[in-house]
Amino acid sequence: MKEKNTFHINGYLGLFILLIMVLGGGWLFYLTIINETLATGIIAALLWIISGFFISSLTIVGPNQAKAILFFGKYLGTIKDNGLFITTPLTQKITISLKVKNFNTALLKVNDSDGNPIEISAVVVFKVVDSAKALFSVDDYRNFVAIQSETALRHIASQYPYDTFEEEDITLRGNTTEVSEKLKIELEERLAIAGVEVIETRLNHLAYATEIASAMLQRQQARAILSARQTIVEGAVSMTQMALEQIEDGQDIQFTDDRRVQLINNLLVSIITDKGTQPVINTGDVKE
């Protein structure tokens, strides 16, 4: 099925023509009575019958609406123009909305790529762009959008981890924009058969499942502490090396191996510790 235009003319012009036909039929019927001629009576009857058929074909198309025209089960085409129109007589007219619609998926429980159960849902913004496909290619395009949206969301959520500390990895929590865009692309492929265009998709809920939320929070905190400690150690080593080089080069001081190890130990402890260090001043040996 593919949408196409069908025969339709301006309704006001059509009404004017029908009015002339009705009046013309009345005039011919009057002449039939006066002259008692059968031919003019038959013509008058035909004009009235034709006028009645076309009056039944009047249809009104509102803003952001479309009318699919069926003639005894055959799809003739669609009227998308707004206003009053006259189309093919004896046809069925099916109204379909072209307005932008929102759909909230149900709260789904899915396993992410690491196998952790998570809760996820999304908002899908869409509209009908092909009335023929929306009406005749699927049973109910709204229900089709709902089921396909949840299926695509499950598929996308299972491809990525909920969270990770690897910067190059895409995660559901840290890359919601990228994940939403991939969800939109997959939905467009799934909903093309229904004549639906996906305007936007957004994740509106994302969390660990309740049965593992506490444990995953502790794991997340531990990984965050480990990552922070790693950064601190790397910085401390760099600062210590730089301090030794500046002391030895700038002051022309050469440390023995023992003194160097002691100085490195003091510098690392003072930089890495999360508590304030207490300086100890060496005043020399005390003799009693």
Side-chain angles (χ1 to χ4, degrees):
M1 298 299 301
K2 188 176 181 180
E3 184 180 272
K4 59 183 179 180
N5 292 324
T6 187
F7 163 75
H8 62 283
I9 62 174
N10 186 279
Y12 300 103
L13 176 62
L15 285 175
F16 178 73
I17 296 174
L18 291 177
L19 179 61
I20 293 177
M21 292 175 64
V22 171
L23 294 177
W27 174 251
L28 291 176
F29 184 75
Y30 174 74
L31 294 179
T32 301
I33 296 176
I34 294 178
N35 300 327
E36 297 182 356
T37 55
L38 182 60
T40 55
I42 294 175
I43 295 174
L46 288 175
L47 288 175
W48 285 343
I49 292 173
I50 294 173
S51 300
F53 280 150
F54 275 96
I55 287 176
S56 68
S57 70
L58 278 171
T59 183
I60 299 175
V61 183
N64 278 328
Q65 281 187 346
K67 287 287 182 74
I69 309 301
L70 275 69
F71 184 72
F72 293 102
K74 181 180 180 180
Y75 172 66
L76 298 181
T78 301
I79 304 175
K80 282 189 171 181
D81 300 326
N82 301 329
L84 178 66
F85 299 99
I86 287 182
T87 184
T88 307
L90 303 178
T91 53
Q92 179 184 1
K93 307 167 189 67
I94 303 177
T95 302
I96 184 169
S97 174
L98 304 180
K99 298 177 182 179
V100 177
K101 305 175 183 63
N102 287 325
F103 170 72
N104 290 314
T105 65
L107 188 62
L108 306 177
K109 182 177 288 187
V110 191
N111 289 338
D112 66 1
S113 62
D114 293 334
N116 301 316
I118 62 173
E119 295 177 348
I120 190 171
S121 65
V123 176
V124 180
V125 183
F126 68 96
K127 69 175 181 178
V128 174
V129 294
D130 191 313
S131 59
K133 290 182 178 180
L135 289 172
F136 309 120
S137 292
V138 294
D139 185 43
D140 182 351
Y141 78 91
R142 291 178 180 270
N143 188 48
F144 186 80
V145 170
I147 294 176
Q148 292 300 323
S149 297
E150 294 183 358
T151 303
L153 182 59
R154 287 182 181 275
H155 180 250
I156 291 295
S158 64
Q159 291 184 333
Y160 303 102
Y162 177 88
D163 200 2
T164 181
F165 289 95
E166 299 295 334
E167 296 182 358
E168 65 274 8
D169 292 342
I170 296 179
T171 63
L172 298 174
R173 187 180 69 88
N175 304 90
T176 55
T177 302
E178 291 83 348
V179 173
S180 298
E181 186 62 27
K182 291 183 180 296
L183 176 61
K184 177 184 176 183
I185 293 173
E186 180 164 341
L187 263 182
E188 286 177 342
E189 295 176 356
R190 292 172 176 265
L191 299 181
I193 190 176
V196 172
E197 176 188 356
V198 179
I199 299 175
E200 184 184 17
T201 57
R202 287 289 176 184
L203 301 182
N204 64 350
H205 179 83
L206 180 65
Y208 282 116
T210 54
E211 60 268 23
I212 68 164
S214 177
M216 295 308 296
L217 179 59
Q218 294 178 1
R219 176 187 173 187
Q220 194 173 16
Q221 290 174 342
R223 294 178 67 179
I225 293 173
L226 180 61
S227 178
R229 285 294 182 183
Q230 183 178 356
T231 303
I232 292 173
V233 170
E234 291 176 354
V237 171
S238 177
M239 292 173 63
T240 301
Q241 183 178 3
M242 182 177 61
L244 287 174
E245 291 176 354
Q246 290 181 355
I247 292 173
E248 291 181 346
D249 294 344
Q251 303 297 329
D252 195 18
I253 298 175
Q254 296 297 326
F255 293 106
T256 62
D257 291 341
D258 293 339
R259 294 294 295 172
R260 182 186 293 273
V261 171
Q262 184 180 3
L263 180 59
I264 291 174
N265 179 70
N266 293 338
L267 287 174
L268 288 176
V269 169
S270 62
I271 295 174
I272 293 175
T273 183
D274 56 353
K275 298 181 179 179
T277 57
Q278 298 294 328
V280 177
I281 300 175
N282 187 2
T283 60
D285 296 335
V286 178
K287 295 181 179 180
E288 296 181 357

